[in-house]
Amino acid sequence: MKRTFSKVVLTAVSAAVLLAACSKVPDESKHIPKTAGVVLDLNAKQISQKLVTNGVTMDKLFSAVQNKDTANQMTKAWKDAENSGVDLKGHFFASVVFQGVATENKSYLSLTASLTDAAKFEDYLKKNVPDFSLKTQNDFKYIWQEKQQAVIGWTKSTVIYISLFNANDLQKFAPPGTPGLPAPTDNNEYQEEAAVADSAVAVPAALVAAEETAPKAWVDEIDHLFHLKKEETAGSIEAFAKLLKENADMGVFVNPEAIYNSAQFTMIPANFKKLMQDSYYTGTVNFEKGKIVMDGSSFMGKELAAIYKKSDKKVIDMDMLKKYPSDNITGFLSYAFDFHVIGEIIKSTGMDGLANAFLSGKSGLTLDDILNAFEGQLTYIASDFAITKKESEYFPGEFTEKPEAKWIFNLKVGNKDAFNKVMTSPLLKDMFAREGDRYVISNPMVAAGFPPISITEKFITVGSDSVLLQQYLAGKGSIKLPEGIESKVKGSMIGGYVDLEKITKTIPEDKLADDEKPLMQSVKNLFKDISLVGHPLEGNVQHTEAVLTFKNKDENSLVQLINFGTAAAKVIQDKKAKEKAYEDSLLSAPVDTAATAAY
């Protein structure tokens, strides 16, 4: 067991799966600063209630996935965590606070929890933290973990752990050329630089202190978090306060303004930062009987909301979806969005002149030409998903299994004059030629390798095959959607659906080992489908809901996931045991000494 408070918190997160809860949920959120860019909330009490009600306990979980010796070790670690003084029945918050530019290394990760017994917590740290050295400041105690470069501070009721968050790591997940992040370098060079950086950023030079002495800046920051004024807390932000009132199993809060204002993204225009002022995102996850419900809310600030309110309040065009000719739907995604919103956002940042200059130089078009050319309605539909065997065109007699599906992508044209201007612009005139009321690909070789496509002044439509495309364009088809899906997505700006049951049913089992087949059957019997609905803007908030539905409607979804996870872990454990037994048998096999000598 890694003997750090971070391990205690991770163990406490595991507690969410295994504890009966009867204590009052503490108000840990008062130690989350409003400058936090990302906040994650785990409601251990609520999650544990759902699981324990369904008979999921720590002992059962350990016995299901571990051998006896390991289970005993884990049980002991768990008992230690239970007696650590940390409230394993409360909320756990993880926050990322962005401060300064990335190279200053002032950003940090904060973990916040409640204590039921501060004395027990101190004893736990003494037993599990090497070189434990207790310090005090004002009304709290703290220790400095040299190796982890982290401070653990606690009062009688709360514990806070903070450690350096290296914002430079964000570039690993950002697209090349993201404003404010370093330009990509040669991979080897990057790895060498990253290694140097990792060793150098443990603590900023300005924060270096004597060995085993916590950097004053980190201690002062914990002191600040313990004594935040109400107006300094994330709870003073309406979006975050609403998230807490949801009392969800899990929650997330994102404050773009806090990230931008921290100078992490130095090249983002000031006008864009102003546009995003008072804009936030919150999301919740709830594990219910037979489903997982995920809700998201985008809170728009005054300026951003004003742009959206000026635009057309579009909803998806159901005709584009309903004329798909199939009753074997795998899934679809329909989207309605006024593209002029993009133009207004660009104009509000003062970048429209640059955009128009670039477009004009390349194509003779303006930003408005492109935005006017399209209606902002698109639909993608797939059906008849299957895993098929196909013979290799290069190696006759060799077959591979590949997923296949029929599909249609349809984009609605807006102003036809603007559309024709785009299609005949210098950028596209050599790619497409007009034939009557439609455009076709000019180069026959390009056309031969391109999926069947139809381009008219009404729609741009692409299909998996020409027969399906013509059936769709004829408009005589009638899609067959699962019960309740059409009414669910009708009137929304985003509508989506995937039939997971149909997809998993096609997964072949012939190449699986006998002991793996039951697990695959469990996969096929687990999920039913997933749906997505994005509602039009109401006031300054846009709501989105995704629902993952399970085939078993009578059991809590988290319980089903855990039961599946323990079954999968058992299969993996058994497989490792068999592999080890086989290796041991080879090592212990007698050697033919006579044959060896003769050789």
Side-chain angles (χ1 to χ4, degrees), residues 5 48 54 138 144 153 155 163 169 178-179 235 283 301 351 359 372 420 429 457 520 546 553 582:
F5 175 63
S48 60
N54 286 271
N138 295 331
W144 166 245
T155 62
S163 64
D169 289 341
T178 298
M351 300 293 289
L359 288 170
N372 290 333
N420 286 325
K429 69 176 184 178
E457 292 179 346
M520 179 54 66
K553 297 180 180 180
Y582 176 71

Side-chain angles (χ1 to χ4, degrees), residues 46-95:
Q46 189 158 288
I47 291 176
S48 60
Q49 280 179 324
K50 294 179 178 181
L51 292 175
V52 175
T53 300
N54 286 271
V56 179
T57 65
M58 175 63 82
D59 292 337
K60 286 184 179 180
L61 183 62
F62 285 165
S63 63
V65 301
Q66 299 292 330
N67 60 48
K68 184 176 179 181
D69 293 337
T70 308
N72 288 338
Q73 293 173 4
M74 294 181 68
T75 301
K76 182 181 182 301
W78 171 251
K79 293 299 181 184
D80 288 344
E82 278 188 311
N83 295 320
S84 67
V86 177
D87 184 4
L88 303 182
K89 301 174 184 178
H91 281 246
F92 294 89
F93 286 95
S95 312

Side-chain angles (χ1 to χ4, degrees), residues 352-417:
D352 53 317
L354 184 62
N356 281 322
F358 175 80
L359 288 170
S360 179
K362 294 285 185 179
S363 62
L365 300 170
T366 66
L367 182 62
D368 285 337
D369 289 332
I370 296 176
L371 297 176
N372 290 333
F374 301 99
E375 178 68 19
Q377 292 275 1
L378 62 87
T379 292
Y380 174 82
I381 314 142
S383 66
D384 302 283
F385 180 84
I387 304 293
T388 60
K389 286 187 177 181
K390 288 212 165 183
E391 187 174 9
S392 170
E393 58 181 306
Y394 303 108
F395 302 99
E398 291 191 8
F399 293 84
T400 56
E401 294 180 339
K402 293 184 178 180
E404 282 192 348
K406 295 182 178 181
W407 55 267
I408 286 288
F409 172 81
N410 196 17
L411 176 64
K412 196 172 187 178
V413 171
N415 181 282
K416 71 175 184 178
D417 292 333

Side-chain angles (χ1 to χ4, degrees), residues 419-432:
F419 176 72
N420 286 325
K421 184 177 180 181
V422 170
M423 294 300 296
T424 57
S425 68
L427 189 66
L428 299 178
K429 69 176 184 178
D430 293 331
M431 295 176 60
F432 299 98

Side-chain angles (χ1 to χ4, degrees), residues 98-401:
F98 294 93
Q99 298 184 140
V101 298
T103 54
E104 291 179 329
N105 302 308
K106 293 182 178 179
S107 300
Y108 64 86
L109 168 68
S110 170
L111 304 176
T112 308
S114 287
L115 293 178
T116 56
D117 191 321
K120 281 187 176 181
F121 181 68
E122 186 174 326
D123 289 340
Y124 177 85
L125 293 178
K126 287 179 182 177
K127 294 177 182 177
N128 292 282
V129 176
D131 302 320
F132 175 88
S133 179
L134 184 65
K135 307 289 182 183
T136 60
Q137 179 163 311
N138 295 331
D139 57 348
F140 69 94
K141 299 178 180 181
Y142 70 89
I143 64 169
W144 166 245
Q145 289 188 286
E146 180 71 27
K147 186 176 181 180
Q148 288 77 21
Q149 297 294 302
V151 177
I152 304 172
W154 67 96
T155 62
K156 291 182 179 179
S157 59
T158 308
V159 55
I160 301 175
Y161 169 101
I162 66 172
S163 64
L164 178 75
F165 176 80
N166 187 2
N168 282 320
D169 289 341
L170 292 174
Q171 65 181 316
K172 299 176 184 178
F173 308 100
T178 298
L181 293 180
T185 61
D186 175 78
N187 188 51
N188 292 333
E189 180 183 347
Y190 169 77
Q191 290 179 353
E192 292 174 3
E193 291 180 356
V196 174
D198 286 344
S199 64
V201 299
V203 181
L207 301 181
V208 173
E211 186 176 357
E212 295 185 0
T213 300
K216 185 176 184 304
W218 285 147
V219 178
D220 288 346
E221 187 63 30
I222 277 196
D223 196 346
H224 176 63
L225 295 179
F226 275 128
H227 304 97
L228 288 174
K229 297 177 182 178
K230 186 176 181 180
E231 62 272 17
E232 294 177 321
T233 66
S236 65
I237 300 173
E238 182 184 5
F240 186 74
K242 285 185 176 180
L243 175 65
L244 293 180
K245 291 178 182 178
E246 292 287 333
N247 198 33
D249 295 340
M250 298 173 64
V252 60
F253 169 75
V254 180
N255 182 353
E257 187 178 357
I259 301 173
Y260 298 152
N261 288 343
S262 70
Q264 296 293 324
F265 299 89
T266 54
M267 295 180 65
I268 291 179
N271 287 341
F272 183 77
K273 293 181 181 180
K274 183 179 179 182
L275 178 68
M276 294 300 296
Q277 186 174 353
D278 297 325
S279 293
Y280 311 97
Y281 174 81
T282 64
T284 62
V285 177
N286 283 293
F287 300 96
E288 301 178 5
K289 278 189 176 182
K291 61 184 177 181
I292 299 175
V293 180
M294 297 158 278
D295 284 300
S297 297
S298 296
F299 293 80
M300 300 183 187
K302 183 178 179 181
E303 292 197 18
L304 189 59
I307 289 176
Y308 273 82
K309 288 174 182 177
K310 277 198 311 183
S311 65
D312 290 339
K313 199 172 185 178
K314 292 184 178 294
V315 297
I316 59 178
D317 185 341
M318 294 297 293
D319 289 337
M320 294 172 64
L321 173 66
K322 293 178 69 175
K323 66 181 183 179
Y324 187 83
S326 177
D327 59 358
N328 189 22
I329 296 301
T330 304
F332 71 85
L333 177 65
S334 295
Y335 191 57
F337 179 72
D338 187 350
F339 288 160
H340 292 94
V341 169
I342 300 173
E344 291 299 321
I345 291 175
I346 293 174
K347 290 174 184 177
S348 69
T349 62
M351 300 293 289
D352 53 317
L354 184 62
N356 281 322
F358 175 80
L359 288 170
S360 179
K362 294 285 185 179
S363 62
L365 300 170
T366 66
L367 182 62
D368 285 337
D369 289 332
I370 296 176
L371 297 176
N372 290 333
F374 301 99
E375 178 68 19
Q377 292 275 1
L378 62 87
T379 292
Y380 174 82
I381 314 142
S383 66
D384 302 283
F385 180 84
I387 304 293
T388 60
K389 286 187 177 181
K390 288 212 165 183
E391 187 174 9
S392 170
E393 58 181 306
Y394 303 108
F395 302 99
E398 291 191 8
F399 293 84
T400 56
E401 294 180 339

Side-chain angles (χ1 to χ4, degrees), residues 291 316-318 321-322 329-334 379-382 479-500 502 528-535 545-549 553:
K291 61 184 177 181
I316 59 178
D317 185 341
M318 294 297 293
L321 173 66
K322 293 178 69 175
I329 296 301
T330 304
F332 71 85
L333 177 65
S334 295
T379 292
Y380 174 82
I381 314 142
I479 197 171
K480 185 177 180 181
L481 295 172
E483 183 179 354
I485 294 298
E486 181 177 341
S487 60
K488 191 173 185 178
V489 302
K490 188 176 182 179
S492 64
M493 62 175 290
I494 302 173
Y497 171 80
V498 178
D499 192 326
L500 299 174
K502 285 182 180 177
K528 185 177 184 295
D529 55 35
I530 184 169
S531 60
L532 172 68
V533 176
H535 301 283
E545 178 189 77
V547 180
L548 174 61
T549 305
K553 297 180 180 180

